[in-house]
Amino acid sequence: MTSTLSWTIPEWLEAYRNQALSVREALHAVHSQLDSSDPSWIYIASAAELNAQIDALGSSDLPLYGIPFAVKDNIDVA
């Protein structure tokens, strides 16, 4: 699989729309490309945690469903 790390949101949405890949396989592909020795990562979820988070989302109607993105620490995610 090609690297998806530099994909834009429209590219992710297009891949899902065309059923080129599923959310689960896409996010696991991104997960496998992360470098745990990179100091910019405070924590990288395990594959099991990632599966639990995907399962918890439930609805694909969410606007960023399946789109990997980072939340800066000055944004209240709750």
Side-chain angles (χ1 to χ4, degrees), residues 12-37:
W12 280 101
L13 293 173
E14 184 67 20
Y16 293 142
R17 204 172 10 259
N18 293 335
Q19 298 178 345
L21 68 163
S22 71
V23 168
R24 191 171 307 274
E25 68 185 358
L27 296 183
H28 279 284
V30 169
H31 184 267
S32 71
Q33 295 172 57
L34 300 178
D35 179 3
S36 62
S37 67

Side-chain angles (χ1 to χ4, degrees), residues 1-8 11-12 21 26 29-31 33 68:
M1 173 177 224
T2 359
S3 174
T4 55
L5 291 179
S6 63
W7 280 13
T8 63
E11 288 171 323
W12 280 101
L21 68 163
V30 169
H31 184 267
Q33 295 172 57

